Amino acid sequence: SSDQRIRGRKKSMLPAWMIIAVAASFSLTAGLIFWHNPTQSQHALPSEAPELIRTAVDACHDVSQYKHATELWGNVVIAPGSKVTLTVPISTKSAVECCKKCSLQRGCNTWVWCSDPAACGRQCMLRRVDHEESQGKALRKWAGLPWTSGSLFKDLYIDPVTLPPLDASISKITLATSAGRINITLMPGWSMPSVAYVQRLAQQPELCTNGCQFYRAEPGFVLSGSLRAYVSSNNETKQGPHVMEQGDIGWADGGPGPEFFIWMGAQPATHMGKAHTVWGQVSDPDSLAVAQLIIDMNTTAHQPDGAHILNTFMDFTISGSA
């Protein structure tokens, strides 16, 4: 029954950040399993001199830091349209080329390159940190570690005071996907800070990172996505105005965003109560049908009874209207 399906899926309501991390980890696993213990691998560090890296400064924008025998921390950058479950690690011949890959990838500002082909196959991992103060933070560092890392001064959070005044007349947004358009009516009375954040992205869609996409699809349950951007999401959570009904949109995990979901159940989400901050509604049946088309696409559950992740993330662009 539909109630049984909902109860079964309640167990898979993992935090959105964890779901993304699990899916994205497939792009890292190959690198992780090939790490050598420093006592087992004593290969010489590469001859990638700082001067050589500096010669690529134009292609890499502003290279601010580069460190040998160091793996810099950062969230995995997933390129638009990635087939996450089939991701093959990037390979480059040098740290400079890895740096260039990062410079060309929207959302990337940290790169990690394997300096030892025997240990990890010249892999190039693209990552992102949100704030300047987080750049250069080492996740791992020891003599003999076969990773060279660097940071690029780009794609960091933007100070809101530098942005134009918010266009508060925006009352509807459209998420345009390759499957069709999803029109959403904003509900400022339900959560004004949430609506203001979404209005900002609709007014300046260039603020969306490559994380503006749908990534999880559960038939009869939820369509989950992200509105991750180069500005901080709102920091307010608020009890919903009512038990969520089909087409209602709220922030995931009871948090303030930017991960969100569309409730797609035919019946109200009574098992969730009013725990989520709700800020919008799908505007029309055609838009709801597009959401259903995405839900019906191929997915993979990476764990038994786990969340169903779209094999290819569904990117969208956002626009707004009064």
Side-chain angles (χ1 to χ4, degrees), residues 46-66:
S47 58
E48 294 285 345
E51 290 75 18
L52 179 58
I53 294 179
R54 288 195 186 99
T55 63
V57 68
D58 290 339
C60 292
H61 303 297
D62 298 322
V63 176
S64 58
Q65 299 185 47
Y66 38 85

Side-chain angles (χ1 to χ4, degrees), residues 9 12-13 216-225 244 260-265 269 271-272 291 295 308:
R9 286 194 170 89
S12 64
M13 283 296 285
R216 180 188 181 190
E218 305 285 356
F221 189 45
V222 297
L223 175 62
S224 298
M244 293 183 73
F260 72 98
F261 68 97
I262 303 173
W263 174 249
M264 295 295 292
H271 66 284
M272 295 195 301
I295 282 182
H308 290 78

Side-chain angles (χ1 to χ4, degrees), residues 3-145:
D3 288 344
Q4 288 173 326
R5 288 198 302 271
I6 289 173
R7 283 197 295 271
R9 286 194 170 89
K10 284 170 68 178
K11 294 186 293 183
S12 64
M13 283 296 285
L14 295 173
W17 67 265
M18 187 179 297
I19 292 171
I20 296 176
V22 169
S25 69
F26 279 78
S27 67
L28 291 179
T29 302
L32 298 178
I33 62 177
F34 285 117
W35 278 351
H36 283 195
N37 184 291
T39 62
Q40 296 174 321
S41 178
Q42 299 299 330
H43 295 270
L45 293 174
S47 58
E48 294 285 345
E51 290 75 18
L52 179 58
I53 294 179
R54 288 195 186 99
T55 63
V57 68
D58 290 339
C60 292
H61 303 297
D62 298 322
V63 176
S64 58
Q65 299 185 47
Y66 38 85
K67 299 182 179 181
H68 294 309
T70 302
E71 179 194 0
L72 292 182
W73 176 88
N75 295 313
V76 178
V77 171
I78 302 175
S82 289
K83 295 186 177 180
V84 176
T85 59
L86 303 176
T87 298
V88 176
I90 298 171
S91 178
T92 63
K93 295 180 180 179
S94 69
V96 172
E97 288 188 20
C98 186
C99 174
K100 291 179 180 179
K101 290 281 187 183
C102 184
S103 74
L104 296 173
Q105 175 60 62
R106 180 172 169 82
C108 180
N109 54 31
T110 300
W111 51 269
V112 182
W113 179 71
C114 174
S115 59
D116 184 350
C120 39
R122 298 295 195 192
Q123 288 184 59
C124 172
M125 295 188 286
L126 307 183
R127 299 180 175 178
R128 178 176 184 264
V129 298
D130 293 330
H131 301 283
E132 182 180 355
E133 56 267 27
S134 299
Q135 289 199 304
K137 179 181 177 182
L139 179 64
R140 301 172 189 271
K141 181 177 182 178
W142 62 69
L145 184 70

